[in-house]
Amino acid sequence: AQSVTQLGSHVSVSEGALVLLRCNYSSSVPPYLFWYVQYPNQGLQLLLKYTSAATLVKGINGFEAEFKKSETSFHLTKPSAHMSDAAEYFCAVTLGVGGSQGNLIFGKGTKLSVKP
Amino acid sequence: DAGVIQSPRHEVTEMGQEVTLRCKLISGHNSLFWYRQTMMRGLELLIYFNNNVPIDDSGMPEDRFSAKMPNASFSTLKIQPSEPRDSAVYFCASSPTGQETQYFGPGTRLLVL
């Protein structure tokens, strides 16, 4: 069965520092993987997705993630944090081969704080 | 294009009352998902529809919860009777045919007193 584990419910970085949010997945089929961001009092917004093409995926707002099959990981990074990056980030995996089923399994989320 | 639209944005009600949450899909999308988000349990999928047909309702907590898609662009989630433990933010999301990306609405913040 598919599942997602996000390591660290809270991450705090200084403005300008590297952002690294960790996500490991478990899937019995080739996964599609996603990162969503949720700003306070808003819905989730897609940051980026991996759909079996390039393993390094670039998203919006300078974020990127690398799919590493050997490590079953899909960590989210950004070279330099900005105050506006403070939000909650969710990793998700599809249920079914190649997104054949629309259901997404979400991780518990990681809250990112950015200090001035 | 307008995104997913949810109403109301906020709802405060008393225990035992009926609550109806509404969602309008993005035009052309045919999959609809209802989620519930709480601090304790995170983001939970309640039910999802494809082409107006419920595909998986295993996340619906109990018989007090029901969801419908009376047409291709609109859905309701009803709680009757409501209980304090139903207090949460309820999101709906839609996706196009054959696509796996889900587009979320702004959510309905429900407080049951």
Side-chain angles (χ1 to χ4, degrees):
Chain A
Q2 278 79 343
S3 67
V4 168
T5 302
Q6 291 185 240
L7 299 175
S9 58
H10 288 86
V11 171
S12 181
V13 300
S14 297
E15 192 173 20
L18 171 71
V19 176
L20 171 60
L21 305 182
R22 299 177 186 275
C23 173
N24 289 89
Y25 70 91
S26 172
S27 178
S28 56
V29 299
Y32 281 12
L33 293 157
F34 304 79
W35 277 100
Y36 281 82
V37 60
Q38 184 180 27
Y39 298 103
N41 300 314
Q42 295 187 26
L44 278 70
Q45 177 185 356
L46 181 69
L47 265 181
L48 51 81
K49 63 181 179 182
Y50 165 76
T51 56
S52 73
T55 56
L56 182 62
V57 181
K58 294 187 184 300
I60 61 172
N61 302 338
F63 284 92
E64 63 182 35
E66 187 172 8
F67 172 70
K68 291 187 177 180
K69 184 177 179 180
S70 60
E71 299 177 7
T72 61
S73 69
F74 191 57
H75 302 332
L76 181 70
T77 61
K78 181 174 180 178
S80 177
H82 193 272
M83 296 296 291
S84 60
D85 295 326
E88 189 159 16
Y89 293 80
F90 293 88
C91 184
V93 64
T94 50
L95 188 66
V97 176
S100 61
Q101 296 186 44
N103 193 2
L104 292 179
I105 308 299
F106 283 89
K108 296 290 188 186
T110 298
K111 283 191 177 175
L112 175 67
S113 300
V114 182
K115 298 174 290 187
Chain B
D1 279 340
V4 173
I5 299 172
Q6 291 188 246
S7 64
R9 293 293 311 275
H10 301 273
E11 176 82 22
V12 181
T13 190
E14 293 186 345
M15 183 174 63
Q17 296 298 305
E18 177 179 293
V19 175
T20 299
L21 311 181
R22 297 174 175 81
C23 175
K24 186 176 187 301
L25 284 69
I26 294 172
S27 177
H29 288 195
N30 67 346
S31 293
L32 182 282
F33 306 81
W34 280 103
Y35 292 90
R36 178 172 67 178
Q37 186 178 39
T38 61
M39 291 291 291
M40 292 297 294
R41 299 172 70 90
L43 195 63
E44 304 173 276
L45 177 69
L46 299 177
I47 185 171
Y48 84 93
F49 295 82
N50 194 34
N51 292 320
N52 302 3
V53 176
I55 302 300
D56 182 358
D57 65 354
S58 59
M60 294 287 263
E62 48 198 271
D63 292 346
R64 298 185 296 107
F65 285 68
S66 62
K68 294 182 180 179
M69 280 197 76
N71 58 58
S73 61
F74 184 73
S75 177
T76 59
L77 177 68
K78 188 173 292 187
I79 308 172
Q80 167 63 17
S82 58
E83 297 182 1
R85 60 190 167 124
D86 302 330
S87 298
V89 182
Y90 291 81
F91 290 101
C92 72
S94 70
S95 68
T97 303
Q99 298 286 324
E100 64 292 327
T101 301
Q102 295 181 19
Y103 298 83
F104 282 73
T108 295
R109 190 173 295 273
L110 173 65
L111 177 61
V112 183
L113 302 174

